[in-house]
Amino acid sequence: MGVRELGLPERFPHDGSLPERVTIWEVGPRDGLQNERTTVPVDVKLEFLDRLADAGLTTVEATSFVHPKWVPQLADAEELLARLRRRDGVRYPVLVPNERGLDRALAAGVTHVAVFASATESFARRNLNSGLDAQFAMFEPVIARAREAGLDVRGYVSMCFGDPWEGVVPTEQVVTVGRRLLDAGCTQLSLGDTIGVATAAAVERLLDAFIEGGVAIADLAVHFHDTYGQALANTLAALRKGVTTVDASAGGLGGCPYAESATGNLATEDLVWLLDGLGVEHGVDLDALVETSRWMSRQLGRSSPSRVVRALSG
């Protein structure tokens, strides 16, 4: 008999010290697949999106309108969105890098977009071909136009805790970038540990700095990579600070094409196991999610890095 049939993980009653419910922002179809070298057929991507929605995920980042030259895996964004069977109650955000990307997103009928900023000069130059300050010349018109069109806009901030070229990133620098995105009109910030070097103490310090800077905790999300095995510990630290949106990728898929030291994202299954044990609601069927990640692993021809998927697969 397996651990699931035995009623594990044990679910403890909610004790009031953590949020009652967490929104899982599923990034597998976009952030998870963007670094795959083998092209994933659009039919597989569509089934992946359907399976994730079937498992109960209500926010599934579908694709990106980055130029195909930079992210060839997502060159099929228009076709995917044209064929996507959108579910009631499920949001399908897309990443847009510039105004041309926004034009494509609007033409595809999206209702929620995201922009991608850097907290460091080095990563801004490598990822955005811009500088730390100059990057906003790209984002601010995109955010303004998207908000005028009635869209929600998420702002990703990468390299919030460490940069492979600059080392430790000053907390005040991250807050400055994040505040500028919010002031420009972003409705949420996702704080990214792009190379997975954060620790729980660093997460608490950064969230405290945002709160002290006048940012509501409800406007913040966290995005952890598991390079050094700290993603779940960092997530728990964020939950204790009141964060209610956590990014994760089914099966732990993902990395970053512009930062070679970045490994997989926090696996959605590992996050769900944690939340179940804490008595925090999330609305996701763990067994259906694990089967989805097993299925995607078969499509990619390799095993999942998710600890929970591996354990439940025997």
Side-chain angles (χ1 to χ4, degrees), residues 9 18 22 24 193 196-201 203-204 222-241 243 246-249 252 264-278 286 305-310:
L18 299 171
V22 162
I24 299 175
D193 181 20
V197 295
T199 62
V203 172
E204 292 172 354
V222 289
H223 184 119
F224 296 122
H225 286 239
D226 206 29
T227 312
Y228 297 94
Q230 301 300 299
L232 284 176
N234 292 338
T235 298
L236 182 55
L239 295 176
R240 286 176 171 156
K241 288 295 180 180
V243 168
V246 179
D247 297 1
S249 177
N265 289 290
L266 167 63
T268 312
E269 296 82 1
D270 298 1
L271 172 61
V272 169
W273 187 281
L274 172 71
L275 296 175
D276 279 350
L278 293 171
L286 178 59
S306 164
R307 295 174 179 85
V308 168
V309 172
R310 293 200 307 269

Side-chain angles (χ1 to χ4, degrees), residues 49-166:
L49 288 162
D50 282 343
R51 285 172 173 263
L52 291 167
D54 286 342
L57 288 151
T58 57
T59 302
V60 184
E61 198 164 75
T63 188
S64 168
F65 283 108
V66 174
H67 194 286
K69 174 183 177 181
W70 303 114
V71 186
Q73 184 66 255
L74 304 179
D76 55 10
E78 275 93 355
E79 180 186 357
L80 182 141
L81 290 173
R83 295 176 55 191
L84 176 63
R85 180 167 59 93
R86 290 176 170 85
R87 308 288 188 87
D88 290 340
V90 179
R91 299 184 298 173
Y92 297 95
V94 302
L95 187 69
V96 296
N98 49 38
E99 290 196 81
R100 172 56 184 150
L102 178 61
D103 289 339
R104 295 170 63 196
L106 292 172
V110 305
T111 59
H112 197 132
V113 298
V115 297
F116 201 96
S118 173
T120 68
E121 181 78 25
S122 296
F123 193 61
R125 294 199 176 279
R126 286 167 172 81
N127 188 33
L128 302 169
N129 197 28
S130 184
L132 183 61
D133 187 63
Q135 65 182 328
F136 291 96
M138 288 191 299
F139 301 138
E140 288 170 345
V142 173
I143 297 167
R145 285 185 54 206
R147 297 291 285 146
E148 288 170 4
L151 276 59
D152 285 331
V153 183
R154 173 182 245 213
Y156 281 103
V157 184
S158 59
M159 298 296 175
C160 288
F161 300 94
D163 178 289
W165 302 279
E166 298 182 18

